[in-house]
Every structure is written in structure tokens, then in C-alpha cells.
Amino acid sequence: MTYDESTAKQLSKDAAEIIGRYPVRRSALLPLLHLVQSVDGYVSPDGVQFCADQLELSSAEVSAVATFYTQYKRRPNGEYQVGVCTNTLCAVMGGDEIWRQLSERVGAGHDETTPDGKISLERIECNAACDYAPVMMINWEFFDNMTPETALQLVDDILAGKDLVPTRGADRVVSFKETSRVLAGFEDGRADEGVSAGAPSLAGIETAKQQGWKGQDK
Amino acid sequence: MTDLTPVLSATWGLDRSWNFDTYAAHGGYEAATKALTMDKADIIQAVKDSGLRGRGGAGFPTGMKWGFLPEPDGGPRYLVVNADESEPGACKDVPTMMASPHTVIEGMIITAFAIGCDHAFIYVRGEVVHVYRRLMKAVAEARDNGWLGKDIKGTGFNLEITVHAGAGAYICGEETALLDSLEGRRGQPRLKPPFPAVAGLYARPTVVNNVESIASVPPIIAKGVDWFASMGTEKSKGMGFFSLSGHVKRPGQYEAPLGITARELIEMAGGMREGHELKFWTPGGSSTPIFTDEHLDTPLDYESVGAAGSMLGTRSLQIFDETTCVVRAVERWTHFYKHESCGKCTPCREGTYWLELIMRRLEAGQGTMADIQQLLDTCDSIAGRAFCALGDAATAPIISSVEYFREEYVRHVTEGGCPFDRAAAALFDYDSAPEEAHA
């Protein structure tokens, strides 16, 4: 184990809290892997060993799980995980072209990270926002109704060190590591930021209102 | 024209709709208050009588699923909410949890009480961090307001809710794969039987319900079985989300009685984009065989969609106009299924690999006429022979697209390329001349 003393102490404290949420220890493995990513920026060999020690598993058992899930990264990840949905609907609506231009500008392909460690690019699968197509996700926050221009602007903003503001999400995109900590189940106090819903989510209730349909209001 | 019936989405437009106070000010937690005074068996009977069927795609009667739990034996029983929304086209559970997470929490409280569960889980896909924030906050608020913890509202009922983030795997939407994942394993489906009701999470009796199914429980309890059953058709009761995406003017969430038609929904969505016409659409996500304009008047209920050769699924209408190449669309879905195949069973693992290779060369204009038949033959080796429904799903878009658009596959072969201009299908203008970079 090569974590320094204070990191190891914090990790153990967090792990105990995570394990405490479940009736059976092993259920803590997925959040523990997110936790490891929040410290190392990927699922490091040290992180694998840490999870194994915490849950009394072998490192092979932990690796077998970590490699099954696409959100766990096997190499140091960029500060910003930039995903372009290229599943059918987003691809057809323009996602393929957004990907082409973005990949060219960033100089990286799928699952590749820029040498400066700023950006990891990914062709992502459907992220449950088809009514906002074409969609991008940056550190798993929603960027809706994208065009090549708005997509390239985001990359420019990352490189210029500016904050990114998701369409539906927190007031600004936090780093990949900070995002991973939230996914490990640690609140960051940003739940009240951002909108409740975008226009497409409200399309039905707006239509009902315009038509004077009383509907079945709760 | 069928009226829309916003129930679950009714409060989404309110300021800070996700907060406990907003939810409670609009009737929230009244159903839970009522349920805690009811006999548990009566709650289960009410959900059975309502006719509510699982909103996650399979359409299994929700109350019956609860009724399958064995008699209490003193050991734990679990409720797991399937919030792993990942079906291409499905985009209803994520906005529900973003805008109104308490709808789900309240439904969980009622369900857990009814089935005798004191620890429930929400398994939410990991790729939506803000949804996860809202859920965690909602759980904390519910606890602060006495709706979670020990001796809830003085009834002696205890409940803890753990919100659990997945890590990117479509297959975890399959309920037994979800349970394996929640147990800290690779998300691979289990052999059934035993069904989760008998041996689910940690081999204990478990109910797994979709977000929208659970969110539909409070209004059923608050407003009554008759109210719910007054909507929909004879065998497909109630309201549900219809998620419209693609080449319509106003894509979005339209909450309507089951049995509404795509023609009505597309009209509500402002029609197809200007100057274009409908070509094909999915009634329930990419796993359901595609439909064309001849199915516009098919009532979108379980029976009618099934009789017309597809499935209601998650009511995810992905709508494509005449600029869209169906071979390209299906090639990309096929890539998805190959990518998401968990590898447990041979027909799906190997079959989706070959399907993608064949689809890719067809779309690139490098296929042969024999490839079209090979596609169908390979589908025949997967459908009905895979361990879970993912294998069947992978074949659905292929078989249905060849059925309705065989001549388009043929054109790719005879013309040695895709006859469509990709730029015409996009929502923005660009020069489609540069070669596409495929990573």
C-alpha cells in the first residue's frame, strides 16, 4: 500500500461509512471503486488492493468487477470526462458530426486522454436524455441540444480554465475526482443547484395547460 | 383526441420542485400517511386491482409481483427500485428523479410497508450525478421529516433507504443482473427460477420495481383504484410517460393514458419537423421492433402493440424522418447491444459480435446480398436462445427493419455505399464531405 498516512486514514474512514450502508459488506464494492477514483482519478492497483482489503476479497475478484463497468477507468483519467452520445438517436441528430469535430479538435479518440491530463474523450451510449438530443455529458452532467459550435466552445473553456455550466445540473461542473466522490455516496451540497427540468421534460404539462386539459392533477 | 394526464409530472415546473416542502405542499406524503393506517394486504390488493403493470418495459402486473413474496419468516425482505434507465430512447425516469425524487421515496415507503421491508435500495445508473445528488438529498429530507428511520410516524414501522450508484452497464437494468451488481459483483443475469420474489438480494425475498411503477403507487393509494383504472384500456390501465424524441418539433415527456396513439402524440409534439415526413419509429425503445407510418393509429397499450408485432416496452418513441438511413440506425443499435452484452451466454456474446460486423459492412456498402440473409439467420440463432432478454432485443431492430425496409439494405449492396446524406438528418447544418473519424 502506497497511500500516505493521511490519505489512507481518510480512505478507511470513508470506506467504513460506505460499508455501513449495506447489510452485506461486498455490496460496498461499487461505491468503493468510485471512492478510489475520487482519490487516484482511476482504479489504480493500490485502489484495487484497498478495496480487496476492506471487503476481504482477492485483488482478482475486485479487478473482475472493476473491468466490467465502463465508468471505472483503467488508466489515469482526465480532469474532465467528455462524453458524446453516439447511440442511434443522438448520432443521427448530429452526434456523429459533433464527435468528429470534437475528436479532431482535442486530438484524442475514444477512451483516450490528452497528454496534459485535462480531457478524456468517450463515445457514450444512451444517457436517458433523448428528448434533448444531441446530448453530451461532462463529468456526468447534462449538456443538452448540442451543436459542433457549442461542443467546441466547451473544450475551449476547459483549456482556458473556465467553469462549465451544465444545462441541467449543478451550477458548475466539478472535477472527475469530485464527481467520483459524489458517486461514492458523499453529498457535496449541490443538490439544490440548477433547474428542476428542461423544456422537453415540461412539454407534456405545457401542452395540457394550453389545451385546458385538467388532466389528473395530483 | 386523447387528453394528456399529467400526474407524476404535474409538479415538475414548480420552483425547487425537488424539495420536500414543495412536494408536501402539493399533496406529497398524503398517500403514505393514508397507507400507514391501512392493512398491508389491502395496499397490495389495491395495487393489484388498479391494474398497474410494470413501467420498466416488461409490463408484469406490479401488485402480483408483490404478492409472490412468501410468507414472512422473520428474516429480511428487500425492495429494490430499478433506476438504471439505459434503454436507447428511454428518458422518463431520469427527469422524474431529477424534478421530483420524493415521488419515488414516497412510493418506496408505501411499498416497503406493504411488503414488510425495512431496508430498501434505489439502484440508479452512475452516469447521472445530479440525479444522484437529488436522490440523496430527498432521502435525507425524508428522514428529517420523520418518514425514514425507526418507528415512522409512531407506527412501529422502520425503514432505511440506500441510494446506490451503478457504474455504467446497460445489462444492470435486467433485474437479476441488477441484484448481482448491487451485491458487488459483475452485473450478469441469474438463472430464473428462483425469481427475486423468492431468492433475490442476498438470496432473500425481494421486490424489484421500476422508478415509474413505484412512483405510480402514491397516486393510486391517494386517489383510489377506480380513478387509476378509469384511465387507459381494459388490460392496460392508468397513465404512463410517452417519451418522444427525434425529428418532431417538440420532443419531450407526454404523460397520457395507455392506449393513446402515436398519431395523437406526434400532433401534440407539433408534428414532424418542417418539410419532413415520418419514416420509422420505435414504440418502446430500441429493443422493440420498429414501426412505420402504417402503425400510427395503433393504440399504445400492451396488447395492441403486441398484436401489431412489437412491444410497448418503455413507451420510448424514437421518431425518424425520411432523411434517416435505417441501416445506419440499426447498425448503431447493433453496436450498442454488442457493447452491452455481458458475455455470460454464447448466443448473445458471439452473436452480437457477428451482427455488428455484418451491419457495419452493409452500411459501408461493402456487404453482399447473402449478408442480408446471414443477418436474419444469425438473429435466428440468438432470439429465444439467449440467457436473458438482451439477446432477443439485439435482434428486434434488425428483423423488423429488414421486414419493412429490405430494399434499403439492397440499395446499400447494389450502390456500394449508403445512399443517404447524413447531414440532412442532423439538426444543424454542416458539410458532410469530410470522412467520418471513427475511433
Side-chain angles (χ1 to χ4, degrees), chain A residues 87-144:
Chain A
N87 199 301
T88 297
L89 191 112
C90 278
V92 166
M93 309 292 278
D96 274 351
E97 178 64 11
I98 292 171
W99 169 262
R100 190 190 69 77
Q101 295 196 24
L102 210 58
S103 179
E104 190 178 286
R105 170 74 66 95
V106 174
H110 170 67
D111 200 22
E112 290 178 4
T113 301
T114 53
D116 62 2
K118 274 281 180 196
I119 296 174
S120 291
L121 269 193
E122 185 178 1
R123 295 165 66 92
I124 59 170
E125 298 300 347
C126 187
N127 222 90
C130 312
D131 44 351
Y132 296 89
V135 170
M136 284 176 57
M137 303 298 296
I138 300 182
N139 289 345
W140 307 118
E141 295 271 28
F142 285 107
F143 288 80
D144 301 328

Side-chain angles (χ1 to χ4, degrees), chain A residues 74-96:
Chain A
R74 298 159 82 170
R75 294 179 296 279
N77 204 65
E79 186 182 349
Y80 290 91
Q81 173 73 21
V82 176
V84 180
C85 179
T86 52
N87 199 301
T88 297
L89 191 112
C90 278
V92 166
M93 309 292 278
D96 274 351

Side-chain angles (χ1 to χ4, degrees), chain B residues 39-99:
Chain B
D39 194 75
K40 293 176 180 186
D42 291 343
I43 298 173
I44 297 175
Q45 194 59 46
V47 173
K48 278 184 184 168
D49 292 344
S50 75
L52 174 65
R53 295 169 63 171
R55 298 293 193 237
F60 193 82
T62 303
M64 203 185 290
K65 213 173 187 183
W66 299 0
F68 284 155
L69 290 189
E71 287 298 307
D73 62 359
R77 299 146 77 85
Y78 296 108
L79 167 66
V80 179
V81 174
N82 184 345
D84 192 51
E85 182 171 62
S86 311
E87 168 77 6
C91 46
K92 63 191 178 66
D93 295 338
V94 158
T96 300
M97 294 183 286
M98 179 97 90

Side-chain angles (χ1 to χ4, degrees), chain A residues 20-31 34 57 61 63-72 86-101 103-104 108-112 122-123 125-134 137-142 145-149 168-172 174 178-197 199-210 212-218, chain B residues 1-7 9-10 12-14 16-19 23 26-28 78 85-91 94-95 98-99 103 106 119 121 123 125-134 136-137 140 162-169 171-172 180-188 201-202 218-219 223 227 230-231 244-247 250-255 268 318-320 324 328-330 332-333 335-336 339-340 342 422 425-428 430-431 434-439:
Chain A
R21 297 178 201 144
Y22 300 93
V24 173
R25 281 180 93 81
R26 182 163 177 162
S27 280
L29 182 50
L30 265 63
H34 284 303
L57 298 171
E61 287 172 304
S63 294
V65 172
T67 52
F68 186 83
Y69 300 93
T70 52
Q71 278 186 288
Y72 299 133
T86 52
N87 199 301
T88 297
L89 191 112
C90 278
V92 166
M93 309 292 278
D96 274 351
E97 178 64 11
I98 292 171
W99 169 262
R100 190 190 69 77
Q101 295 196 24
S103 179
E104 190 178 286
H110 170 67
D111 200 22
E112 290 178 4
E122 185 178 1
R123 295 165 66 92
E125 298 300 347
C126 187
N127 222 90
C130 312
D131 44 351
Y132 296 89
M137 303 298 296
I138 300 182
N139 289 345
W140 307 118
E141 295 271 28
F142 285 107
N145 303 116
M146 298 303 292
T147 66
E149 291 71 35
R168 290 172 294 142
D171 287 346
R172 67 173 180 87
V174 300
E178 290 169 289
T179 303
S180 298
R181 185 167 175 85
V182 176
L183 294 177
F186 295 98
E187 293 184 68
D188 64 356
R190 294 180 180 276
D192 284 334
E193 296 177 2
V195 298
S196 58
S201 301
L202 304 175
I205 55 177
E206 289 300 326
T207 304
K209 225 179 269 172
Q210 282 164 18
W213 292 330
K214 289 277 175 243
Q216 305 282 339
D217 276 6
K218 194 170 165 185
Chain B
M1 176 78 88
T2 310
D3 288 9
L4 292 174
T5 49
V7 178
S9 58
W12 291 6
L14 299 174
R16 298 204 163 209
S17 61
W18 60 87
N19 276 350
Y23 184 68
H26 290 82
Y78 296 108
E85 182 171 62
S86 311
E87 168 77 6
C91 46
V94 158
M98 179 97 90
T103 323
E106 186 181 9
H119 195 162
F121 298 83
Y123 185 107
R125 65 181 301 181
E127 302 104 319
V128 285
V129 67
H130 208 56
V131 168
Y132 192 46
R133 289 190 183 104
R134 293 257 163 100
M136 285 195 290
K137 189 190 172 201
T162 300
V163 192
H164 180 93
I171 189 59
C172 292
D180 258 34
S181 180
L182 183 52
E183 290 182 4
R185 301 170 191 279
R186 294 165 76 90
Q188 295 188 316
L201 187 63
Y202 315 127
K223 307 180 81 155
W227 163 81
S230 73
M231 293 179 280
L244 272 66
S245 59
H247 291 131
R250 281 195 305 278
Q253 304 304 316
Y254 295 83
E255 206 176 351
M268 289 175 195
Q318 302 173 92
I319 298 161
F320 300 93
T324 312
R328 176 192 181 198
V330 173
R332 200 56 64 86
W333 280 324
H335 165 77
F336 169 75
H339 185 258
E340 302 297 337
C342 79
R422 291 186 168 197
L427 293 188
F428 46 79
Y430 71 93
D431 175 11
E435 278 302 297
E436 194 191 352
H438 240 301

Side-chain angles (χ1 to χ4, degrees), chain B residues 279 322 324-325 327 362-369 372 405-421:
Chain B
K279 181 174 177 182
E322 83 290 347
T324 312
C325 171
V327 179
L362 278 168
E363 164 62 4
Q366 294 158 357
T368 65
M369 298 299 259
I372 303 172
F405 298 100
R406 180 183 280 268
E407 81 287 353
E408 205 162 300
Y409 280 84
V410 171
R411 279 187 70 191
H412 280 72
V413 175
T414 56
E415 296 179 25
C418 178
F420 289 84
D421 174 13

